[in-house]
């Protein structure tokens, strides 16, 4: 039987996000975020769920750190809630907010776990949204000030920094499709938000360098592998547009300082322009130390006039599906990260999220037998190994997610965790997938 063996310095981790796990939404001076507003608006979230309590990690972080230690991970990716630090987005620093994250970071370091921090995982202070949110360039300045406070408060303790999580979701999913906060449906707004977020990323990287902050900094894009159903030129072009919507639109500015021209032309035909100011593209393309990639799925498409934004129809080819109805496509991970290396060079890559949602049942003994999730991880770990063996500079992997949590617009009915959360009692129960990953980390690999 073939042995899948990972390098000894491969960074194994798991990940969460502040609004999804913390709760305590009105405690210790925290201001409201756009997700507080969105989730309290009837009909926006399944079952009208919200993140008021979530997993109560604000009070139970020590329990969660103990789970991380039991899992054996070397790193934990979590995000800092901007409204805990600046309740109004700008102004006076809320020291109680900083103190909470100091406690979390110190607990992690004491447990021998490296903190990997995301500065922006979608919880924009509502006070800034009231002034236009990411469509307002003043939000860029507010973000850089917030980032500076965090850099200085944790310099030397946090060594891995991620500016933004999934700028596609912040922009298109939230401001064109309207499924996430703030829930707008305006293509020009979405393109503007995407651009301004990338400028804010670049400005934060510049500030990080200027401060001489210790550690490495990058950003995370959610990449999707979409390929043509046939070799017909129209199918190839349609699938490429659909893929570039997630991939090139964000990766090209990050690494090349340009937007893909064919996509600029496509948006222009829709009456949409990118609001580029002098110096923006140089700022966006600030050199970064690594790229974070969140990968969940992929698919096949063909040209169909007036289908969606890009005249592209997805073709079902028999993939297994998760409970989110997403295709299980492990080979897509190999293809998309190989494409990253081929297109953008040998930048170090971290898979900052990868995981699956399934219907989980807690047994009377307090166990969850999630064979499908464990199998999902195993198949994606094999692709990670293929990538490393193929010379792709994949340096680490963060499983999504440590805990079942508030799954954004899906509320609490969709579970991604390797630990089951009983939302009535807040008890945590490691699932079989937890023990599978625990053994992979302990053994440095597994039998394929």
């Amino acid at each position: 039987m073939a042995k899948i063996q990972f390098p000894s310095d491969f960074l194994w981790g798991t990940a969460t996000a502040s609004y999804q796990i913390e709760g305590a939404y009105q405690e210790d001076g925290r201001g409201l975020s756009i997700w507080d507003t969105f989730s309290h608006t009837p009909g926006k979230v399944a079952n009208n769920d919200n993140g008021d309590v979530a997993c109560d990690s604000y009070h139970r972080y020590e329990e969660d750190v103990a789970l991380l230690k039991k899992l054996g991970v070397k790193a934990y990716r979590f995000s800092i809630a901007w409204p805990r630090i600046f309740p109004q987005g700008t102004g006076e620093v809320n020291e109680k907010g900083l103190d909470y994250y100091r406690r979390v970071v110190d607990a992690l370091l004491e447990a021998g776990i490296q903190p990997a921090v995301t500065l922006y995982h979608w919880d924009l202070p509502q006070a800034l949204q009231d002034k236009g949110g990411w469509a307002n360039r003043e939000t860029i300045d507010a973000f850089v000030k917030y980032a500076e406070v965090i850099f200085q408060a944790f310099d030397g303790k946090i060594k891995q920094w991620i500016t933004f999580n999934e700028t596609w979701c912040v922009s298109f999913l939230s401001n064109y499709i309207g499924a996430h906060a703030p829930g707008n449906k305006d293509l020009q707004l979405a393109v503007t938000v995407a651009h301004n977020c990338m400028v804010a990323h670049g400005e934060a990287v510049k500030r990080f360098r200027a401060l001489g902050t210790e550690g490495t900094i990058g950003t995370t894009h959610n990449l999707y592998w979409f390929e043509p159903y046939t070799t017909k030129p129209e199918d190839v072009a349609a699938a490429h547009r659909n893929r570039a919507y997630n991939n090139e639109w964000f990766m090209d500015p990050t690494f090349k300082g340009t937007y893909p021209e064919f996509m600029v032309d496509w948006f222009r035909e829709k009456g949409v322009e990118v609001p580029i100011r002098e110096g923006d593209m140089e700022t966006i393309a600030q050199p970064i130390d690594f790229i974070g990639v969140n990968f969940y799925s992929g698919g096949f498409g063909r040209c169909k006039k007036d289908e969606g934004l890009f005249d592209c129809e997805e073709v079902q080819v028999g993939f297994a599906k998760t409970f989110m109805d997403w295709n299980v496509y492990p080979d897509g991970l190999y293809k998309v990260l190989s494409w990253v290396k081929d297109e953008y060079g040998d930048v170090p890559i971290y898979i900052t999220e990868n995981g699956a949602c399934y219907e989980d049942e807690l047994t009377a003994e307090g166990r969850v037998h999630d064979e499908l999730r464990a199998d999902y991880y195993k198949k994606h770990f094999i692709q990670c190994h293929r990538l490393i063996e193929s010379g792709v500079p994949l340096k680490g992997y963060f499983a999504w997610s440590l805990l079942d949590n508030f799954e954004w617009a899906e509320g609490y009915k969709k579970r991604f965790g390797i630990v089951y959360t009983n939302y009535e009692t807040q008890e945590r129960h490691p699932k079989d997938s937890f023990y599978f990953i625990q053994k992979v980390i302990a053994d440095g690999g597994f039998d394929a």
Side-chain angles (χ1 to χ4, degrees):
M1 189 177 288
K3 178 75 172 176
I4 299 294
Q5 196 73 33
F6 285 86
S8 59
D9 62 349
F10 192 73
L11 190 68
W12 290 104
T14 185
T16 61
S18 50
Y19 188 75
Q20 292 182 271
I21 67 164
E22 286 178 2
Y25 85 113
Q26 288 185 311
E27 286 191 42
D28 291 336
R30 178 189 179 275
L32 294 179
S33 76
I34 56 174
W35 270 98
D36 295 300
T37 303
F38 191 77
S39 66
H40 284 97
T41 304
K44 294 296 187 182
V45 173
N47 199 40
N48 288 321
D49 290 337
N50 58 58
D52 293 3
V53 177
C55 305
D56 195 32
S57 289
Y58 191 80
H59 302 110
R60 297 171 180 266
Y61 69 90
E62 290 173 310
E63 192 176 340
D64 296 338
V65 171
L67 283 167
L68 290 162
K69 190 171 183 179
K70 180 178 180 180
L71 181 61
V73 289
K74 299 176 184 177
Y76 175 50
R77 177 184 176 226
F78 64 98
S79 71
I80 289 176
W82 187 348
R84 287 203 192 280
I85 312 304
F86 288 101
Q88 299 302 309
T90 58
E92 291 296 312
V93 173
N94 176 29
E95 287 295 335
K96 287 184 177 179
L98 279 177
D99 286 344
Y100 166 67
Y101 293 108
R102 288 187 180 108
R103 294 193 296 272
V104 172
V105 168
D106 287 347
L108 289 168
L109 293 174
E110 192 174 331
I113 297 165
Q114 170 186 317
V117 165
T118 305
L119 290 169
Y120 187 73
H121 202 131
W122 308 354
D123 41 4
L124 183 71
Q126 181 62 42
L128 294 181
Q129 184 62 40
D130 293 342
K131 299 175 183 176
W134 285 111
N136 181 351
R137 300 270 303 207
E138 290 179 7
T139 301
I140 298 171
D141 299 328
F143 176 75
V144 175
K145 176 60 181 175
Y146 152 67
E148 179 180 275
V149 166
I150 303 300
F151 292 150
Q152 292 179 321
F154 295 98
D155 189 16
K157 287 191 172 183
I158 295 170
K159 305 290 181 66
Q160 189 170 20
W161 299 92
I162 294 164
T163 54
F164 278 74
N165 180 74
E166 299 185 346
T167 313
W168 180 88
C169 290
V170 178
S171 53
F172 291 105
L173 185 62
S174 304
N175 289 285
Y176 169 62
I177 298 169
H180 282 188
N184 298 309
K185 295 184 178 181
D186 182 323
L187 184 58
Q188 178 62 68
L189 178 63
V191 169
T192 298
V193 166
H195 180 73
N196 289 349
C197 285
M198 286 193 281
V199 173
H201 151 76
E203 292 290 359
V205 172
K206 287 200 287 189
R207 187 61 53 88
F208 178 87
R209 306 286 188 215
L211 291 169
T213 312
E214 190 178 344
T216 59
I217 193 167
T219 191
T220 282
H221 295 313
N222 52 310
L223 303 186
Y224 187 79
W225 191 251
F226 205 76
E227 47 195 297
Y229 184 65
T230 77
T231 57
K232 293 176 183 176
E234 61 269 30
D235 288 350
V236 172
H240 191 195
R241 288 191 297 271
N242 214 57
R243 189 174 76 232
Y245 180 43
N246 275 83
N247 298 6
E248 284 98 319
W249 191 256
F250 298 94
M251 293 288 282
D252 278 14
T254 302
F255 289 105
K256 298 179 178 180
T258 59
Y259 285 98
E261 198 59 42
F262 74 100
M263 291 291 284
V264 171
D265 292 342
W266 188 266
F267 282 131
R268 188 169 287 141
E269 287 178 16
K270 309 286 184 186
V272 171
E273 295 284 347
V274 187
I276 301 171
R277 295 188 185 180
E278 186 176 351
D280 278 0
M281 301 314 294
E282 292 83 358
T283 294
I284 293 170
Q286 287 297 303
I288 53 179
D289 302 308
F290 65 89
I291 184 69
V293 173
N294 294 354
F295 177 85
Y296 289 98
S297 191
F300 288 78
R302 63 187 171 198
C303 185
K304 184 179 180 183
K305 196 68 178 167
D306 298 324
E307 179 73 20
L309 184 58
F310 299 109
D311 295 353
C312 185
E313 171 191 48
E314 183 167 0
V315 182
Q316 298 300 326
V317 298
F319 285 116
K321 303 273 190 176
T322 68
F323 190 42
M324 293 289 286
D325 201 35
W326 295 349
N327 295 330
V328 178
Y329 189 17
D331 194 44
L333 176 62
Y334 179 83
K335 291 176 177 178
V336 78
L337 293 193
S338 297
W339 169 79
V340 169
K341 180 182 186 298
D342 292 345
E343 191 70 20
Y344 305 106
D346 282 323
V347 58
I349 301 169
Y350 291 87
I351 296 170
T352 39
E353 289 181 26
N354 178 238
C357 173
Y358 290 106
E359 292 185 274
D360 295 322
E361 187 174 326
L362 187 66
T363 69
E365 296 76 36
R367 292 296 295 267
V368 176
H369 302 303
D370 59 338
E371 294 90 348
L372 288 172
R373 185 177 289 105
D375 186 62
Y376 179 99
Y377 279 118
K378 184 175 186 178
K379 287 175 177 174
H380 285 79
F381 291 171
I382 291 170
Q383 299 303 322
C384 291
H385 186 257
R386 283 185 69 202
L387 286 159
I388 294 167
E389 291 289 296
S390 299
V392 174
L394 178 60
K395 303 299 184 182
Y397 177 103
F398 292 79
W400 184 271
S401 174
L402 174 65
L403 302 168
D404 293 333
N405 55 47
F406 178 78
E407 185 45 45
W408 306 113
E410 301 292 339
Y412 293 104
K413 66 177 181 175
K414 299 291 175 69
R415 295 175 178 269
F416 275 86
I418 56 173
V419 175
Y420 183 94
T421 304
N422 181 327
Y423 295 113
E424 293 181 6
T425 65
Q426 291 297 345
E427 289 178 307
R428 279 93 156 116
H429 301 273
K431 304 176 187 179
D432 286 358
S433 57
F434 176 101
Y435 293 109
F436 168 69
I437 294 173
Q438 179 190 58
K439 184 165 174 32
V440 171
I441 294 172
D443 295 347
F446 58 96
D447 291 327

